[in-house]
Amino acid sequence: MLSESYPEFNTSTFRLAVAQFEEAADHLGLDPRLRERLKLPQRTLIVSVPIRMDDGSVKVYEGYRVQHDTALGPSKGGVRFHPEVHLGEVAALAMWMTWKSALVGLPYGGAKGGVRVAPEKLSLAELERLTRRYTAEIAPLIGPDEDIPAPDVGTNAQIMAWMMDTYSQQVGYAVPGVVTGKPLSIGGSLGREDATGRGVVEVIGEALKRLNMKMAEATAVVQGFGNVGMHSAKILHQAGTKVLAVSDAKGGIYNAGGLDIPALISRYHSKTRPLGDCEIGKEISNEELLQLPCTVLVPAALSEQITIRNAAKLRCRILAEGANGPTTLEADHILEERNIFIIPDILANSGGVIVSYFEWVQDIQKYFWTEQDIRDRLRNIITSAFQRTVEFADSRKVSMRMAALMSGIDKTAQAHLARGLYP
Ligand code: NAD
């Protein structure tokens, strides 16, 4: 048993990622010599991150960087600052990054990083010191040709700027390509901020076409109102879809006639106020929100939100997974039996890594593209990945999730077989 040999990875998220991998590997008849290699990360780094607090005391936080695979190129993946970050969760997220990049055809392997910290409890100066020390600790692993971090839960463009600066100070010159999701002023890309949400909406559009529905006829519910959730809601609203409800960690709001998303965003931003105080809709709990009747449900918060407890109660026709790993294995089988069309996470939220790839290419070429270029190229890549996944699912008679995982795993396996085993 994997969890017995590697107790440090033993979390429900890692077990979910491995169980998905095993199922996909069985369907593929994956070469047994590759199974063990692909199930575990290639490299794992655990770091202690000591920082001086504003009151003069010193606190030590635990951080990680995990590189799951580098057969196809440098590894790529976000950095999460959250009080429940765990090595096993980071390892699972790194594995999903490998399959995601391979599925959409990017020249990357998968990685992920994190620090177990509640960033909202730190002052800005403490957050900067934490970010810089974490970056210095993982510096031996990262670099534009080695491993390229990006924002994830609890991190943003400012944190990427501090990471870029810390790495650049160490090597002695500016290295914009070491992270993506940076501010535009230091080599960030137009269109990166809303890329994941835009990608989510592109694939929702493709799924609606299969149901012979238009965006303007659909209704949507979004769990999570951070980078992915807020931009998904905003772009759905722009496309004419009624967004009935949204939520954050503190709870949600609901309006049967559709929320005024632009007004909500401006009030929410002029915060720091809870969604419920924005006077845009009725308060609703996260549990109730997931069970609202709608065309599309977009989980865009944390993993394992749709479980055996609530899967039978979902009343959506399409589940577009903005978050990574929002659905447990048991829930997945229930949703499949109920014929809910799932756009799996590694496909639905791949817009983030696709535009991160554009940012990295622009930084290396030192030649920057227009926002329209970015949007057009994102649409081409993500909608063709959607079509390939649908065709694969139909031809192999597997679910959309299995089709996406099998495509990503197979591409990674082909690279390993071509390269061989060193030495
Ligand atoms: P974020 O920190 O910007 O936002 C997270 C949101 O989820 C916040 O609104 C938070 O309040 C809310 N939340 C937290 N716990 C919740 C709970 N129990 N119930 C409801 N809401 C809750 O993070 P993000 O970057 O938007 O990431 C969200 C998800 O999308 C994560 O799973 C992440 O891995 C995934 N993802 C992000 C990107 C990206 O580009 N940022 C790309 C791909 C996937």
Short mmCIF file of all heavy atoms in Angstrom, two decimals, residues 350-404:
data_model
loop_
_atom_site.label_atom_id
_atom_site.label_comp_id
_atom_site.label_asym_id
_atom_site.label_seq_id
_atom_site.Cartn_x
_atom_site.Cartn_y
_atom_site.Cartn_z
N SER A 350 -7.61 24.52 -17.07
CA SER A 350 -6.28 24.57 -17.71
C SER A 350 -5.97 25.94 -18.32
O SER A 350 -4.84 26.18 -18.75
CB SER A 350 -6.17 23.48 -18.78
OG SER A 350 -7.13 23.71 -19.79
N GLY A 351 -6.96 26.84 -18.38
CA GLY A 351 -6.69 28.17 -18.94
C GLY A 351 -5.58 28.90 -18.19
O GLY A 351 -4.82 29.66 -18.78
N GLY A 352 -5.46 28.63 -16.88
CA GLY A 352 -4.42 29.28 -16.08
C GLY A 352 -3.03 28.88 -16.55
O GLY A 352 -2.17 29.74 -16.81
N VAL A 353 -2.82 27.59 -16.69
CA VAL A 353 -1.47 27.17 -17.09
C VAL A 353 -1.21 27.46 -18.57
O VAL A 353 -0.08 27.73 -18.97
CB VAL A 353 -1.17 25.68 -16.71
CG1 VAL A 353 -1.92 24.70 -17.56
CG2 VAL A 353 0.33 25.40 -16.78
N ILE A 354 -2.29 27.49 -19.37
CA ILE A 354 -2.09 27.81 -20.80
C ILE A 354 -1.57 29.25 -20.94
O ILE A 354 -0.58 29.51 -21.63
CB ILE A 354 -3.41 27.61 -21.60
CG1 ILE A 354 -3.78 26.11 -21.64
CG2 ILE A 354 -3.28 28.18 -23.00
CD1 ILE A 354 -5.19 25.82 -22.18
N VAL A 355 -2.22 30.19 -20.23
CA VAL A 355 -1.76 31.59 -20.36
C VAL A 355 -0.46 31.81 -19.57
O VAL A 355 0.36 32.65 -19.95
CB VAL A 355 -2.88 32.60 -20.01
CG1 VAL A 355 -2.37 34.03 -20.11
CG2 VAL A 355 -4.06 32.41 -20.97
N SER A 356 -0.22 31.00 -18.54
CA SER A 356 1.10 31.04 -17.89
C SER A 356 2.18 30.64 -18.89
O SER A 356 3.28 31.21 -18.92
CB SER A 356 1.14 30.07 -16.71
OG SER A 356 0.68 30.69 -15.54
N TYR A 357 1.87 29.65 -19.70
CA TYR A 357 2.81 29.23 -20.75
C TYR A 357 3.06 30.39 -21.72
O TYR A 357 4.20 30.68 -22.07
CB TYR A 357 2.22 28.00 -21.47
CG TYR A 357 2.88 27.66 -22.78
CD1 TYR A 357 4.22 27.28 -22.84
CD2 TYR A 357 2.15 27.69 -23.98
CE1 TYR A 357 4.82 26.96 -24.06
CE2 TYR A 357 2.74 27.38 -25.19
CZ TYR A 357 4.07 27.01 -25.22
OH TYR A 357 4.67 26.69 -26.41
N PHE A 358 1.99 31.11 -22.10
CA PHE A 358 2.16 32.27 -23.00
C PHE A 358 3.07 33.31 -22.32
O PHE A 358 3.91 33.92 -22.97
CB PHE A 358 0.81 32.93 -23.33
CG PHE A 358 -0.17 32.05 -24.07
CD1 PHE A 358 -1.52 32.37 -24.10
CD2 PHE A 358 0.25 30.92 -24.77
CE1 PHE A 358 -2.43 31.58 -24.78
CE2 PHE A 358 -0.65 30.12 -25.46
CZ PHE A 358 -2.00 30.45 -25.45
N GLU A 359 2.86 33.52 -21.02
CA GLU A 359 3.67 34.52 -20.30
C GLU A 359 5.15 34.11 -20.34
O GLU A 359 6.03 34.93 -20.60
CB GLU A 359 3.18 34.64 -18.85
CG GLU A 359 3.95 35.66 -18.02
CD GLU A 359 3.35 35.87 -16.62
OE1 GLU A 359 2.15 35.65 -16.42
OE2 GLU A 359 4.13 36.24 -15.72
N TRP A 360 5.40 32.85 -20.09
CA TRP A 360 6.78 32.33 -20.06
C TRP A 360 7.43 32.48 -21.44
O TRP A 360 8.58 32.91 -21.57
CB TRP A 360 6.70 30.87 -19.62
CG TRP A 360 7.93 30.06 -19.51
CD1 TRP A 360 8.89 30.14 -18.56
CD2 TRP A 360 8.31 28.97 -20.37
NE1 TRP A 360 9.84 29.16 -18.76
CE2 TRP A 360 9.51 28.43 -19.86
CE3 TRP A 360 7.75 28.39 -21.50
CZ2 TRP A 360 10.16 27.34 -20.46
CZ3 TRP A 360 8.38 27.31 -22.10
CH2 TRP A 360 9.59 26.80 -21.57
N VAL A 361 6.67 32.14 -22.50
CA VAL A 361 7.19 32.26 -23.87
C VAL A 361 7.51 33.73 -24.17
O VAL A 361 8.57 34.05 -24.72
CB VAL A 361 6.16 31.69 -24.89
CG1 VAL A 361 6.53 32.08 -26.31
CG2 VAL A 361 6.04 30.19 -24.76
N GLN A 362 6.61 34.64 -23.79
CA GLN A 362 6.83 36.08 -24.04
C GLN A 362 8.07 36.57 -23.28
O GLN A 362 8.87 37.35 -23.80
CB GLN A 362 5.61 36.89 -23.62
CG GLN A 362 4.38 36.65 -24.48
CD GLN A 362 3.14 37.31 -23.89
OE1 GLN A 362 2.90 38.49 -24.10
NE2 GLN A 362 2.36 36.56 -23.12
N ASP A 363 8.24 36.11 -22.02
CA ASP A 363 9.40 36.52 -21.23
C ASP A 363 10.70 36.04 -21.88
O ASP A 363 11.69 36.77 -21.93
CB ASP A 363 9.31 35.94 -19.81
CG ASP A 363 8.26 36.64 -18.96
OD1 ASP A 363 7.89 37.79 -19.29
OD2 ASP A 363 7.79 36.03 -17.98
N ILE A 364 10.68 34.81 -22.38
CA ILE A 364 11.90 34.25 -22.99
C ILE A 364 12.21 34.97 -24.31
O ILE A 364 13.35 35.31 -24.60
CB ILE A 364 11.74 32.73 -23.19
CG1 ILE A 364 11.74 32.03 -21.82
CG2 ILE A 364 12.85 32.17 -24.08
CD1 ILE A 364 11.36 30.58 -21.87
N GLN A 365 11.14 35.22 -25.09
CA GLN A 365 11.34 35.89 -26.39
C GLN A 365 11.55 37.39 -26.23
O GLN A 365 11.98 38.06 -27.17
CB GLN A 365 10.11 35.69 -27.27
CG GLN A 365 9.89 34.26 -27.70
CD GLN A 365 8.66 34.14 -28.60
OE1 GLN A 365 7.79 35.00 -28.61
NE2 GLN A 365 8.63 33.08 -29.37
N LYS A 366 11.16 37.91 -25.07
CA LYS A 366 11.18 39.35 -24.81
C LYS A 366 10.39 40.09 -25.88
O LYS A 366 10.77 41.13 -26.42
CB LYS A 366 12.62 39.89 -24.72
CG LYS A 366 13.46 39.07 -23.74
CD LYS A 366 14.59 39.83 -23.13
CE LYS A 366 15.46 38.97 -22.23
NZ LYS A 366 14.75 38.10 -21.31
N TYR A 367 9.24 39.51 -26.22
CA TYR A 367 8.36 40.07 -27.23
C TYR A 367 6.94 39.80 -26.77
O TYR A 367 6.58 38.65 -26.52
CB TYR A 367 8.64 39.40 -28.58
CG TYR A 367 7.76 39.89 -29.68
CD1 TYR A 367 7.95 41.15 -30.24
CD2 TYR A 367 6.73 39.09 -30.17
CE1 TYR A 367 7.13 41.61 -31.24
CE2 TYR A 367 5.91 39.54 -31.18
CZ TYR A 367 6.10 40.80 -31.71
OH TYR A 367 5.28 41.25 -32.71
N PHE A 368 6.16 40.88 -26.60
CA PHE A 368 4.86 40.72 -25.92
C PHE A 368 3.67 40.81 -26.87
O PHE A 368 3.73 41.55 -27.86
CB PHE A 368 4.77 41.73 -24.76
CG PHE A 368 5.73 41.34 -23.66
CD1 PHE A 368 7.07 41.72 -23.70
CD2 PHE A 368 5.31 40.51 -22.63
CE1 PHE A 368 7.96 41.30 -22.72
CE2 PHE A 368 6.19 40.08 -21.66
CZ PHE A 368 7.52 40.48 -21.70
N TRP A 369 2.65 40.03 -26.58
CA TRP A 369 1.49 39.89 -27.47
C TRP A 369 0.34 40.77 -27.00
O TRP A 369 0.31 41.20 -25.85
CB TRP A 369 1.00 38.43 -27.47
CG TRP A 369 2.06 37.40 -27.67
CD1 TRP A 369 3.34 37.58 -28.11
CD2 TRP A 369 1.92 36.00 -27.42
NE1 TRP A 369 4.00 36.37 -28.15
CE2 TRP A 369 3.15 35.38 -27.74
CE3 TRP A 369 0.87 35.18 -26.98
CZ2 TRP A 369 3.37 34.02 -27.61
CZ3 TRP A 369 1.09 33.82 -26.86
CH2 TRP A 369 2.32 33.24 -27.19
N THR A 370 -0.64 40.95 -27.89
CA THR A 370 -1.83 41.73 -27.51
C THR A 370 -2.79 40.84 -26.72
O THR A 370 -2.70 39.60 -26.79
CB THR A 370 -2.59 42.24 -28.75
OG1 THR A 370 -3.08 41.08 -29.45
CG2 THR A 370 -1.70 43.05 -29.67
N GLU A 371 -3.72 41.48 -26.01
CA GLU A 371 -4.70 40.71 -25.25
C GLU A 371 -5.56 39.85 -26.18
O GLU A 371 -5.91 38.72 -25.85
CB GLU A 371 -5.58 41.66 -24.43
CG GLU A 371 -6.51 40.90 -23.52
CD GLU A 371 -6.80 41.61 -22.20
OE1 GLU A 371 -6.56 42.82 -22.11
OE2 GLU A 371 -7.27 40.92 -21.28
N GLN A 372 -5.85 40.39 -27.39
CA GLN A 372 -6.66 39.61 -28.33
C GLN A 372 -5.91 38.35 -28.77
O GLN A 372 -6.51 37.28 -28.87
CB GLN A 372 -7.02 40.49 -29.55
CG GLN A 372 -8.19 39.95 -30.35
CD GLN A 372 -9.44 39.71 -29.50
OE1 GLN A 372 -9.86 40.57 -28.74
NE2 GLN A 372 -10.01 38.50 -29.57
N ASP A 373 -4.59 38.50 -29.01
CA ASP A 373 -3.77 37.30 -29.35
C ASP A 373 -3.90 36.24 -28.28
O ASP A 373 -4.07 35.06 -28.56
CB ASP A 373 -2.27 37.67 -29.36
CG ASP A 373 -1.81 38.21 -30.68
OD1 ASP A 373 -2.53 38.00 -31.66
OD2 ASP A 373 -0.73 38.83 -30.70
N ILE A 374 -3.79 36.70 -27.02
CA ILE A 374 -3.82 35.77 -25.88
C ILE A 374 -5.17 35.05 -25.84
O ILE A 374 -5.25 33.83 -25.71
CB ILE A 374 -3.59 36.53 -24.55
CG1 ILE A 374 -2.35 37.38 -24.61
CG2 ILE A 374 -3.67 35.61 -23.33
CD1 ILE A 374 -1.10 36.86 -24.05
N ARG A 375 -6.25 35.84 -25.96
CA ARG A 375 -7.59 35.24 -25.87
C ARG A 375 -7.82 34.25 -27.01
O ARG A 375 -8.38 33.18 -26.80
CB ARG A 375 -8.66 36.32 -25.91
CG ARG A 375 -8.70 37.12 -24.63
CD ARG A 375 -9.90 38.05 -24.63
NE ARG A 375 -9.86 38.87 -23.44
CZ ARG A 375 -10.73 39.81 -23.15
NH1 ARG A 375 -11.73 40.05 -23.97
NH2 ARG A 375 -10.64 40.51 -22.05
N ASP A 376 -7.40 34.64 -28.23
CA ASP A 376 -7.63 33.74 -29.38
C ASP A 376 -6.84 32.44 -29.23
O ASP A 376 -7.35 31.36 -29.48
CB ASP A 376 -7.20 34.43 -30.69
CG ASP A 376 -8.09 35.63 -31.02
OD1 ASP A 376 -9.18 35.74 -30.42
OD2 ASP A 376 -7.70 36.45 -31.87
N ARG A 377 -5.59 32.57 -28.80
CA ARG A 377 -4.76 31.37 -28.67
C ARG A 377 -5.27 30.48 -27.53
O ARG A 377 -5.25 29.26 -27.62
CB ARG A 377 -3.30 31.74 -28.40
CG ARG A 377 -2.61 32.35 -29.62
CD ARG A 377 -1.22 32.81 -29.21
NE ARG A 377 -0.70 33.82 -30.09
CZ ARG A 377 0.40 33.69 -30.83
NH1 ARG A 377 1.07 32.57 -30.81
NH2 ARG A 377 0.81 34.67 -31.58
N LEU A 378 -5.72 31.12 -26.42
CA LEU A 378 -6.29 30.35 -25.31
C LEU A 378 -7.51 29.58 -25.81
O LEU A 378 -7.64 28.37 -25.55
CB LEU A 378 -6.68 31.30 -24.16
CG LEU A 378 -7.58 30.71 -23.07
CD1 LEU A 378 -6.90 29.55 -22.34
CD2 LEU A 378 -7.98 31.78 -22.04
N ARG A 379 -8.39 30.29 -26.54
CA ARG A 379 -9.62 29.62 -27.02
C ARG A 379 -9.25 28.43 -27.91
O ARG A 379 -9.79 27.34 -27.76
CB ARG A 379 -10.48 30.62 -27.80
CG ARG A 379 -11.71 29.95 -28.42
CD ARG A 379 -12.64 30.94 -29.10
NE ARG A 379 -13.07 31.96 -28.20
CZ ARG A 379 -12.94 33.27 -28.43
NH1 ARG A 379 -12.37 33.69 -29.54
NH2 ARG A 379 -13.37 34.14 -27.56
N ASN A 380 -8.29 28.63 -28.84
CA ASN A 380 -7.91 27.53 -29.75
C ASN A 380 -7.44 26.32 -28.98
O ASN A 380 -7.84 25.20 -29.25
CB ASN A 380 -6.76 27.97 -30.67
CG ASN A 380 -7.26 28.86 -31.77
OD1 ASN A 380 -8.47 28.89 -32.02
ND2 ASN A 380 -6.35 29.59 -32.41
N ILE A 381 -6.56 26.56 -28.00
CA ILE A 381 -5.96 25.42 -27.29
C ILE A 381 -6.99 24.71 -26.43
O ILE A 381 -7.12 23.49 -26.46
CB ILE A 381 -4.75 25.88 -26.44
CG1 ILE A 381 -3.61 26.33 -27.37
CG2 ILE A 381 -4.26 24.75 -25.52
CD1 ILE A 381 -2.35 26.78 -26.66
N ILE A 382 -7.77 25.47 -25.66
CA ILE A 382 -8.67 24.81 -24.69
C ILE A 382 -9.88 24.18 -25.39
O ILE A 382 -10.31 23.09 -24.99
CB ILE A 382 -9.05 25.78 -23.54
CG1 ILE A 382 -9.49 24.97 -22.31
CG2 ILE A 382 -10.12 26.76 -23.93
CD1 ILE A 382 -9.54 25.75 -21.01
N THR A 383 -10.38 24.81 -26.44
CA THR A 383 -11.55 24.18 -27.09
C THR A 383 -11.11 22.97 -27.89
O THR A 383 -11.84 21.98 -27.97
CB THR A 383 -12.34 25.17 -27.99
OG1 THR A 383 -11.45 25.71 -28.96
CG2 THR A 383 -12.98 26.28 -27.18
N SER A 384 -9.91 22.99 -28.45
CA SER A 384 -9.50 21.76 -29.16
C SER A 384 -9.19 20.64 -28.17
O SER A 384 -9.48 19.47 -28.43
CB SER A 384 -8.38 21.99 -30.18
OG SER A 384 -7.28 22.52 -29.56
N ALA A 385 -8.67 20.98 -26.97
CA ALA A 385 -8.47 19.94 -25.95
C ALA A 385 -9.82 19.38 -25.52
O ALA A 385 -9.97 18.17 -25.30
CB ALA A 385 -7.73 20.52 -24.74
N PHE A 386 -10.84 20.25 -25.42
CA PHE A 386 -12.19 19.78 -25.06
C PHE A 386 -12.68 18.79 -26.13
O PHE A 386 -13.15 17.70 -25.81
CB PHE A 386 -13.15 20.98 -24.96
CG PHE A 386 -14.56 20.60 -24.61
CD1 PHE A 386 -14.99 20.58 -23.29
CD2 PHE A 386 -15.47 20.25 -25.61
CE1 PHE A 386 -16.30 20.21 -22.97
CE2 PHE A 386 -16.78 19.87 -25.29
CZ PHE A 386 -17.19 19.86 -23.97
N GLN A 387 -12.56 19.18 -27.41
CA GLN A 387 -13.07 18.30 -28.49
C GLN A 387 -12.33 16.97 -28.50
O GLN A 387 -12.95 15.92 -28.63
CB GLN A 387 -12.94 18.98 -29.87
CG GLN A 387 -13.78 20.24 -30.06
CD GLN A 387 -15.26 20.04 -29.69
OE1 GLN A 387 -15.78 18.92 -29.65
NE2 GLN A 387 -15.95 21.12 -29.35
N ARG A 388 -11.01 17.01 -28.33
CA ARG A 388 -10.24 15.75 -28.32
C ARG A 388 -10.70 14.86 -27.16
O ARG A 388 -10.81 13.65 -27.30
CB ARG A 388 -8.74 16.03 -28.15
CG ARG A 388 -8.04 16.54 -29.39
CD ARG A 388 -6.52 16.37 -29.26
NE ARG A 388 -5.96 16.93 -28.04
CZ ARG A 388 -5.61 18.20 -27.86
NH1 ARG A 388 -5.75 19.06 -28.87
NH2 ARG A 388 -5.10 18.61 -26.73
N THR A 389 -10.97 15.49 -26.01
CA THR A 389 -11.38 14.70 -24.83
C THR A 389 -12.75 14.07 -25.06
O THR A 389 -12.96 12.89 -24.74
CB THR A 389 -11.39 15.60 -23.57
OG1 THR A 389 -10.13 16.26 -23.49
CG2 THR A 389 -11.60 14.79 -22.30
N VAL A 390 -13.67 14.84 -25.66
CA VAL A 390 -15.00 14.28 -25.96
C VAL A 390 -14.86 13.10 -26.93
O VAL A 390 -15.45 12.03 -26.72
CB VAL A 390 -15.90 15.38 -26.58
CG1 VAL A 390 -17.14 14.77 -27.20
CG2 VAL A 390 -16.29 16.40 -25.52
N GLU A 391 -14.05 13.28 -27.97
CA GLU A 391 -13.89 12.19 -28.96
C GLU A 391 -13.25 10.97 -28.33
O GLU A 391 -13.65 9.84 -28.57
CB GLU A 391 -13.03 12.68 -30.15
CG GLU A 391 -13.83 13.54 -31.11
CD GLU A 391 -12.94 14.44 -31.97
OE1 GLU A 391 -11.75 14.11 -32.18
OE2 GLU A 391 -13.45 15.50 -32.41
N PHE A 392 -12.25 11.20 -27.47
CA PHE A 392 -11.58 10.10 -26.79
C PHE A 392 -12.57 9.36 -25.89
O PHE A 392 -12.64 8.13 -25.87
CB PHE A 392 -10.43 10.67 -25.95
CG PHE A 392 -9.45 9.64 -25.43
CD1 PHE A 392 -8.23 9.43 -26.05
CD2 PHE A 392 -9.75 8.89 -24.30
CE1 PHE A 392 -7.33 8.49 -25.56
CE2 PHE A 392 -8.87 7.95 -23.81
CZ PHE A 392 -7.65 7.75 -24.43
N ALA A 393 -13.39 10.13 -25.15
CA ALA A 393 -14.38 9.52 -24.24
C ALA A 393 -15.38 8.69 -25.04
O ALA A 393 -15.71 7.56 -24.66
CB ALA A 393 -15.10 10.61 -23.45
N ASP A 394 -15.82 9.23 -26.18
CA ASP A 394 -16.79 8.49 -27.00
C ASP A 394 -16.17 7.23 -27.58
O ASP A 394 -16.75 6.15 -27.52
CB ASP A 394 -17.31 9.38 -28.16
CG ASP A 394 -18.24 10.47 -27.63
OD1 ASP A 394 -18.65 10.37 -26.45
OD2 ASP A 394 -18.53 11.43 -28.39
N SER A 395 -14.93 7.38 -28.11
CA SER A 395 -14.34 6.21 -28.80
C SER A 395 -13.93 5.12 -27.81
O SER A 395 -14.04 3.95 -28.11
CB SER A 395 -13.16 6.64 -29.68
OG SER A 395 -12.10 7.03 -28.84
N ARG A 396 -13.49 5.50 -26.61
CA ARG A 396 -13.05 4.48 -25.64
C ARG A 396 -14.16 4.12 -24.65
O ARG A 396 -13.94 3.31 -23.75
CB ARG A 396 -11.81 4.98 -24.87
CG ARG A 396 -10.61 5.30 -25.77
CD ARG A 396 -9.93 4.07 -26.31
NE ARG A 396 -9.25 3.32 -25.28
CZ ARG A 396 -7.94 3.35 -25.03
NH1 ARG A 396 -7.18 4.09 -25.81
NH2 ARG A 396 -7.41 2.65 -24.06
N LYS A 397 -15.30 4.77 -24.78
CA LYS A 397 -16.45 4.51 -23.88
C LYS A 397 -16.06 4.67 -22.41
O LYS A 397 -16.26 3.78 -21.58
CB LYS A 397 -17.06 3.13 -24.13
CG LYS A 397 -17.49 2.92 -25.56
CD LYS A 397 -18.64 1.97 -25.69
CE LYS A 397 -19.19 1.84 -27.10
NZ LYS A 397 -18.73 2.77 -28.11
N VAL A 398 -15.44 5.80 -22.13
CA VAL A 398 -15.07 6.14 -20.75
C VAL A 398 -15.64 7.52 -20.43
O VAL A 398 -16.10 8.24 -21.32
CB VAL A 398 -13.53 6.15 -20.53
CG1 VAL A 398 -12.94 4.75 -20.65
CG2 VAL A 398 -12.83 7.12 -21.48
N SER A 399 -15.61 7.89 -19.15
CA SER A 399 -16.13 9.20 -18.74
C SER A 399 -15.18 10.30 -19.23
O SER A 399 -14.03 10.04 -19.59
CB SER A 399 -16.23 9.27 -17.21
OG SER A 399 -14.91 9.23 -16.66
N MET A 400 -15.67 11.54 -19.19
CA MET A 400 -14.83 12.68 -19.56
C MET A 400 -13.60 12.75 -18.66
O MET A 400 -12.50 13.06 -19.10
CB MET A 400 -15.61 13.99 -19.43
CG MET A 400 -16.52 14.29 -20.57
SD MET A 400 -15.63 14.66 -22.10
CE MET A 400 -15.14 16.38 -21.84
N ARG A 401 -13.79 12.44 -17.34
CA ARG A 401 -12.63 12.51 -16.44
C ARG A 401 -11.58 11.47 -16.84
O ARG A 401 -10.40 11.79 -16.93
CB ARG A 401 -13.04 12.30 -14.99
CG ARG A 401 -11.81 12.46 -14.07
CD ARG A 401 -12.07 12.35 -12.61
NE ARG A 401 -13.28 12.91 -12.12
CZ ARG A 401 -13.49 14.22 -11.88
NH1 ARG A 401 -12.52 15.09 -12.08
NH2 ARG A 401 -14.64 14.64 -11.42
N MET A 402 -12.06 10.23 -17.09
CA MET A 402 -11.11 9.19 -17.46
C MET A 402 -10.41 9.55 -18.77
O MET A 402 -9.20 9.36 -18.93
CB MET A 402 -11.82 7.84 -17.61
CG MET A 402 -11.83 6.99 -16.38
SD MET A 402 -10.17 6.83 -15.65
CE MET A 402 -10.44 7.54 -14.05
N ALA A 403 -11.19 10.09 -19.73
CA ALA A 403 -10.61 10.43 -21.03
C ALA A 403 -9.51 11.47 -20.86
O ALA A 403 -8.42 11.36 -21.45
CB ALA A 403 -11.70 10.96 -21.96
N ALA A 404 -9.77 12.49 -20.03
CA ALA A 404 -8.77 13.56 -19.83
C ALA A 404 -7.53 12.99 -19.14
O ALA A 404 -6.39 13.25 -19.57
CB ALA A 404 -9.38 14.68 -19.00
#
